[in-house]
Amino acid sequence: MEKELRRLLNKCVRCGTCRSECPILAELGFEGASPRGLIFLLQGLLNGQANPKKMADRVYNCLLCDACTAVCPGGVEITNLIRAGRREVGRIPAFGPFLKLVLNMVLTRPTLVAAGSRLLWAYQRSGLDRAVRNTGLLKILPGDLGRAEHMLPPLGSRTARGMLPETTPAVGKRRYRVGYFLGCATNLLYPQVAQAVVRVLAANGCEVVIPKGMRCCGIPHLTYGLMATYAQLLRSNLQVFKEAKVDAIISDCASCTATLAHMGQRPLGCDADLPWDEAAKMASKVWDFSAFLVDELGLRRIKRDLTGKVTYHDPCHLVRGVQITRQPRHLLGELGLELVEMSNAAVCCGAAGTFALAHYDLSMAILKKKIDGVGRTGAPLVATSCPACIMQLTAGTKTFGVPAKVVHPAELAAQVH
Amino acid sequence: MSLLRDLGEVLSSDRILTDELDRLCYSYDSSFISRLHRFSPDAVVLPRSVEETVGVVKYASRKGIPIVPRGAGSGESGGAVPVQGGIVMDMSTWKDVVELDVANMQILVRPGLVHDELNRLLAPHGLFFPPDPGSSKMATIGGMVANNSSGLRAIKYGVTENYVLGLEVVLPDGRVITTGGQDCRALKNVSGLNLTKLFVGSEGVLGVITGIRLRLWPRPQSRGLVMAAFPKLEDAPKAVMAVFQAGMLPSGMEIMDSSAIEAVNLYRPDLKLPLCEAILLFEVDGDPAGVAWQVEQIRTICEQWADEVEEALEEARMTQLWEGRSLVAAAVSRLRSEGTRAFIGEDISVPLSRVPEALRGIKSLADKHQIEVVIFGHIGDGNLHTAPVIDPDDEGEVARVQRLADDIHRLALRLQGTVTGEHGVGFVRSQYARQEHGLALDVMFQVKKALDPLGIMNPGKIFPSPVKGAEADGKGTASTAQ
């Protein structure tokens, strides 16, 4: 492992091309915040020149947005190396132990996820959230959790899984049997997106299955270097997909899509013995919602009934993870909307999973630039294919006073079905 | 800690870095030598005003601490590496445009502005800053001025110094001067000794550049590319000479050898460069009719030797090809799975008539030292970039590549060329200064001493070490190395 890491780290010639793309460096400015700096420090970690304890803060000071990797002329897998570095470092700073517990014990079990969601719902519904904010109790939360609390959207009493049947029949003749990979964030935070996805897929001739035993895609675990848990989840999901006997696996979440689409590749730093070939075969069935609709199903059933302007935000995991940019835009156009591009469409919004929970101010500064871009388009609608981005952009439009509603393309598509 | 406290009186604490990990990140640039040794600074500051810069310089001067100005750290000569410790001044976050004066075709910028950002903001005004380094996306204007950089378009447009109207410089004693006339906005000015040209390319050894007034040029209406694939490497220089003899001055004339072609194809598979011994990439610009005519002429000339000639006139394809060539320097790392590109011996420039000799010479030296070498560069002005691909963990290869670089530098001097066409001397090429400049090196050192008697400005650069010995003999001679 160390040898492989060293070989990949050696590829960096320190040309600094990555400096031009890094949203974190653009805010902080110093070399240690740049992708090149991190790669150098990871080399130092392996050589024993960089203290692992101090390194923990460094390796987590990254959005994993992949912008650097995409432009690196030398082909350095910067994001993968930083993830592997997180595993090497071991310690998660700020609220590490709490987060580890949630990732390893709760997020791996759908029933606990539902129970947690119910608790949060009760917290919001009872007015306790306002009381807690007023008393300043949030300050006792670790990291920036307290300051980021306001970003959580109002939760429903039921998760999407609780609302949707395990199998939804196709409307009319069945063309496909698809597995809907209902990811954690959509399930908990945006059940209306899940309902829209199922509705649109069914209306276009898909029998939609939401397999019961499906678990988290594992991206939070990859992000925090918890490779063993990631491997567990992958093994379990692989079995579930196999049993579901589906033609395609559809995801509405950019992060889940990218993770699943790459499940056939052993992540750097993961030494678990898994059936990677089998995973690769399954990965070839994975589709982003818009891409499946545009490239596979065709847009036969869509009416161009919507009007007005819309702008599109490219989630990092879609634009760089699986190179999908055209299809969601095409879909929006086919719905009758006028697409107005923002200049920074493919720049990270600063959400990056749980990044804001430990780096609130930095995340907000990155978000501010994104929202400025949205504002300049004058569009009243921002569409994006990722629940984490939806949450971040929604918080951004409110915080920075840009009157734009943030939606998933599926929600718009569902309006004309 | 006292350094942190003292500097804290000059600039805010979030722009002073003394943490060990942060300091480590300023121990390198792209040079291979900074991979082999650690040159950590004692502190790093990120100034954003003349006052802050003056404050740091005065403090360093009082204490006799070295100061190393730094841009993006994308240099390849160790120029921004603190080889004698001290304070690194990271200027990259000070990137304001102080004034864009479109009517007078000039702009005043702070040193941290990135080349590509500058040209993007000039584009809507129909203007541009012509020097075009391959590192456009990261190189700062301050770094370009300090190294007198150029790049792909130097053949027609010249180098950075041709566009610098004046500079604001903080001298080692804390005085702030403006060269090129305190308040001058004229495009021509021969008044006084040309201090601007003295500071351009001075690599931070004379002072800290805090303001740069650049002359801007009208952006050409049109451009076109011709890509020619040569089955024989030595035929490429013949085509270059023939284009000149036909009375044309392309804005770029680039060469890539077979390995460079392979590297670009690995980096950008969509480019589909033809596989051959050498590709020449010509860029012409100007009015649309002239561009079309020149493209046609160049095609005809190249067809005498080339197997395949492509004319690219669509913007998308031109951008693709140009970017592919621009980033080949680092893309070379892709050629070997356990290897990487070493930036060493990478910037020789030779007389045009001796380019074929240089190409042959480099290849045979590479064979002699058993190192895989990729060649590309600005063939139109004889500036050849050699890129050895080595395993940096293999001690034998590391030793051999250093001997190879030394031989390449000596080859360049033998061919009446220079060890550096555009990257600078820095730390890695100072050992050739005596051979290249003779007595003139002593005069350079006298100038340095006059401005920086304490020797705090970027010590260990340009002048061969040990410079201190030369100071001690009181004669102002810059060592006798070589």
Side-chain angles (χ1 to χ4, degrees):
Chain A
M1 182 56 56
E2 195 183 310
K3 201 174 162 204
E4 189 184 7
L5 279 181
R6 197 180 296 276
R7 180 181 68 83
L8 292 168
L9 288 166
N10 270 345
K11 290 250 147 227
C12 176
V13 298
R14 301 176 192 153
C15 65
T17 307
C18 53
R19 286 178 57 97
S20 62
E21 303 293 327
C22 178
I24 301 263
L25 180 69
E27 295 304 324
L28 298 179
F30 56 90
E31 179 69 21
S34 71
R36 177 176 62 174
L38 277 179
I39 291 297
F40 180 79
L41 289 176
L42 287 174
Q43 287 171 335
L45 183 71
L46 287 191
N47 296 336
Q49 290 169 328
N51 177 332
K53 260 191 180 165
K54 282 185 161 183
M55 279 297 290
D57 287 323
R58 304 295 173 137
V59 287
Y60 282 98
N61 198 26
C62 169
L63 300 159
L64 302 179
C65 72
D66 236 6
C68 50
T69 313
V71 297
C72 177
V76 182
E77 299 172 32
I78 306 171
T79 310
N80 288 339
L81 283 165
I82 292 171
R83 278 179 175 161
R86 290 178 177 185
R87 199 198 84 132
E88 291 290 309
V89 165
R91 200 173 68 87
I92 301 172
F95 45 89
F98 167 71
L99 193 72
K100 245 186 189 167
L101 189 78
V102 172
L103 293 177
N104 282 336
M105 305 305 289
V106 182
L107 215 52
T108 49
R109 295 172 171 80
T111 45
L112 286 182
V113 171
S117 156
R118 187 89 188 157
L119 276 176
L120 280 173
W121 170 78
Y123 164 74
Q124 288 181 334
R125 183 64 187 262
S126 63
L128 198 59
D129 56 343
R130 283 191 301 278
V132 165
R133 273 175 220 154
N134 292 339
T135 53
L137 263 178
L138 285 172
K139 285 182 193 150
I140 65 166
L141 288 176
D144 289 339
L145 209 54
R147 295 164 73 205
E149 184 262 4
H150 73 93
M151 298 172 79
L152 194 68
L155 297 184
S157 63
R158 287 198 296 167
T159 62
R161 282 201 203 201
M163 295 156 89
L164 290 161
E166 195 178 337
T167 305
T168 303
V171 176
K173 190 173 169 252
R174 188 183 97 167
R175 297 166 65 201
Y176 295 88
R177 175 177 158 87
V178 303
Y180 171 32
F181 188 86
L182 178 46
C184 307
T186 303
N187 181 40
L188 294 180
L189 309 175
Y190 299 107
Q192 73 275 18
V193 172
Q195 286 174 313
V197 168
V198 171
R199 187 169 164 193
V200 174
L201 289 173
N204 282 279
C206 295
E207 179 187 15
V208 186
V209 190
I210 307 174
K212 237 189 188 140
M214 209 176 51
R215 294 156 84 186
C216 172
C217 70
I219 194 167
H221 309 86
L222 280 178
T223 301
Y224 286 98
L226 305 172
M227 299 298 178
T229 317
Y230 169 75
Q232 249 177 38
L233 290 168
L234 173 52
R235 193 188 296 278
S236 160
N237 280 334
L238 206 53
Q239 190 58 32
V240 169
F241 289 139
K242 226 160 83 180
E243 284 165 11
K245 295 195 170 50
V246 290
D247 306 317
I249 300 162
I250 313 299
S251 162
D252 59 64
C253 166
S255 303
C256 300
T257 307
T259 311
L260 297 173
H262 293 125
M263 68 178 149
Q265 295 159 18
R266 186 178 62 79
L268 201 56
C270 175
D271 38 23
D273 187 21
L274 287 173
W276 297 110
D277 290 348
E278 203 182 306
K281 268 186 210 151
M282 200 59 82
S284 66
K285 291 187 176 183
V286 174
W287 287 85
D288 160 63
F289 167 79
S290 300
F292 189 66
L293 202 57
V294 170
D295 290 347
E296 191 68 15
L297 292 177
L299 296 169
R300 287 177 296 181
R301 296 231 169 187
I302 282 189
K303 300 184 208 102
R304 300 177 63 98
D305 280 355
L306 302 182
T307 54
K309 289 179 179 174
V310 63
T311 188
Y312 182 75
H313 160 72
D314 289 295
C316 299
H317 290 136
L318 219 51
V319 56
R320 287 174 288 273
V322 286
Q323 288 81 43
I324 284 181
T325 54
R326 172 183 53 85
Q327 299 90 332
R329 288 174 167 80
H330 183 77
L331 172 61
L332 295 172
E334 289 299 309
L335 298 175
L337 294 163
E338 181 194 344
L339 180 71
V340 192
E341 288 285 356
M342 61 177 114
S343 59
N344 51 348
V347 181
C348 181
C349 64
T354 50
F355 184 78
L357 305 185
H359 304 86
Y360 182 74
D361 291 329
L362 193 51
S363 175
M364 284 295 127
I366 293 166
L367 177 59
K368 168 88 172 56
K369 285 183 182 161
K370 172 59 70 173
I371 297 298
D372 285 348
V374 170
R376 282 193 297 271
T377 66
L381 270 181
V382 191
T384 189
S385 316
C386 168
C389 300
I390 292 177
M391 183 164 89
Q392 176 89 345
L393 294 174
T394 305
T397 50
K398 280 186 194 142
T399 308
F400 304 115
V402 170
K405 188 168 184 249
V406 188
V407 291
H408 193 285
E411 292 177 88
L412 297 170
Q415 288 178 28
V416 297
H417 275 86
Chain B
M1 289 318 273
S2 70
L3 199 59
L4 181 63
R5 194 186 57 232
D6 294 347
L7 290 169
E9 288 172 17
V10 179
L11 69 180
S12 74
S13 60
D14 61 332
R15 286 187 283 116
I16 306 167
L17 309 172
T18 51
D19 176 81
E20 185 198 348
L21 295 186
D22 279 321
R23 289 188 290 113
L24 261 181
C25 289
Y26 287 88
S27 67
Y28 59 80
D29 61 359
S30 276
S31 64
F32 187 64
I33 196 103
S34 69
R35 201 171 185 131
L36 301 178
H37 307 281
R38 287 282 167 275
F39 303 108
S40 265
D42 300 304
V44 179
V45 293
L46 291 84
R48 286 193 203 142
S49 72
V50 179
E51 293 70 31
E52 288 177 353
T53 311
V54 169
V56 174
V57 169
K58 279 189 172 168
Y59 170 75
S61 170
R62 222 166 38 238
K63 300 275 185 181
I65 301 172
I67 292 177
V68 182
R70 177 183 173 104
S74 56
E76 292 155 10
S77 69
V81 171
V83 292
Q84 294 181 19
I87 300 169
V88 165
M89 277 193 165
D90 179 346
M91 311 302 277
S92 68
T93 69
W94 190 17
K95 54 204 306 183
D96 312 318
V97 172
V98 182
E99 181 192 62
L100 170 58
D101 185 350
V102 174
N104 289 309
M105 297 180 72
Q106 54 194 269
I107 190 167
L108 178 60
V109 302
R110 295 303 176 190
L113 187 65
V114 169
H115 176 267
D116 180 54
E117 289 172 4
L118 170 65
N119 269 336
R120 271 189 285 140
L121 78 91
L122 292 175
H125 302 281
L127 296 169
F128 83 130
F129 169 58
D132 182 34
S135 52
S136 167
K137 281 189 169 173
M138 53 280 193
T140 62
I141 300 298
M144 285 188 72
V145 171
N147 290 292
N148 198 6
S149 310
S150 46
L152 283 72
R153 297 196 172 107
I155 179 67
K156 175 171 178 179
Y157 290 104
V159 301
T160 298
E161 70 174 351
N162 304 119
Y163 300 88
V164 183
L165 293 170
L167 294 171
E168 179 186 72
V169 185
V170 177
L171 297 177
D173 61 7
R175 282 180 299 167
V176 183
I177 59 164
T178 301
T179 70
Q182 298 192 65
D183 204 23
C184 181
R185 288 174 191 215
L187 293 178
K188 287 173 82 176
N189 177 354
V190 294
S191 147
L193 292 181
N194 197 333
L195 292 183
T196 305
K197 289 215 172 183
L198 175 64
F199 284 101
V200 176
S202 64
E203 302 190 19
V205 305
L206 302 179
V208 185
I209 294 166
T210 52
I212 301 148
R213 185 174 289 280
L214 293 173
R215 185 208 204 296
L216 305 173
W217 275 38
R219 180 177 284 269
Q221 291 276 319
S222 174
R223 67 173 181 140
L225 295 185
V226 179
M227 182 171 70
F230 296 84
K232 283 188 196 160
L233 177 68
E234 56 269 30
D235 285 340
K238 291 179 193 161
V240 169
M241 295 308 289
V243 167
F244 283 139
Q245 279 155 8
M248 283 179 285
L249 183 58
S251 47
M253 296 170 106
E254 294 295 311
I255 186 168
M256 286 183 276
D257 76 354
S258 55
S259 308
I261 296 163
E262 199 186 325
V264 173
N265 279 337
L266 285 171
Y267 175 42
R268 293 273 168 88
D270 49 324
L271 280 179
K272 296 189 182 77
L273 297 184
L275 300 176
C276 55
E277 279 200 6
I279 280 182
L280 284 184
L281 194 60
F282 295 87
E283 186 200 60
V284 292
D285 65 0
D287 62 278
V291 165
W293 182 83
Q294 287 190 69
V295 162
E296 214 34 60
Q297 296 295 308
I298 293 173
R299 165 195 271 282
T300 311
I301 289 170
C302 287
E303 276 170 352
Q304 294 175 57
W305 299 281
D307 268 352
E308 196 180 329
V309 183
E310 177 191 333
E311 291 177 7
L313 291 162
E314 279 171 32
E315 196 51 48
R317 177 69 176 158
M318 284 193 287
T319 305
Q320 227 185 10
L321 287 172
W322 205 248
E323 274 186 13
R325 159 58 196 94
S326 293
L327 292 168
V328 64
V332 165
S333 280
R334 294 181 185 243
L335 288 173
R336 189 172 153 186
S337 80
E338 79 291 6
T340 190
R341 188 249 162 115
F343 281 98
I344 186 166
E346 83 294 343
D347 189 37
I348 64 164
S349 189
V350 297
L352 275 186
S353 65
R354 309 195 78 166
V355 166
E357 245 175 295
L359 291 172
R360 268 198 309 275
I362 293 167
K363 290 275 182 202
S364 84
L365 288 171
D367 287 346
K368 177 181 143 194
H369 293 286
Q370 294 173 295
I371 296 281
E372 183 186 356
V373 157
V374 180
I375 305 174
F376 55 93
H378 320 303
I379 194 170
D381 44 30
N383 191 184
L384 300 175
H385 297 318
T386 48
V389 188
I390 62 157
D391 176 356
D393 286 339
D394 183 325
E395 285 177 16
E397 282 193 57
V398 169
R400 293 206 302 280
V401 81
Q402 292 183 85
R403 288 197 292 273
L404 168 67
D406 185 46
D407 279 351
I408 290 174
H409 286 138
R410 290 176 197 286
L411 170 72
L413 294 176
R414 208 165 50 242
L415 296 177
Q416 294 176 294
T418 171
V419 293
T420 176
E422 57 182 11
H423 295 170
V425 176
F427 172 59
V428 303
R429 285 179 272 267
S430 60
Q431 57 180 307
Y432 308 100
R434 174 62 72 194
Q435 190 184 344
E436 190 163 347
H437 298 292
L439 197 58
L441 185 69
D442 294 334
V443 178
M444 287 184 207
F445 190 64
Q446 281 169 338
V447 173
K448 155 85 175 167
K449 264 192 94 178
L451 287 171
D452 180 24
L454 298 172
I456 59 165
M457 286 309 308
N458 208 5
K461 313 299 163 62
I462 293 186
F463 302 102
S465 297
V467 178
K468 277 189 180 145
E471 279 173 333
D473 71 13
K475 293 176 192 161
T477 51
S479 112
T480 50
Q482 308 308 316

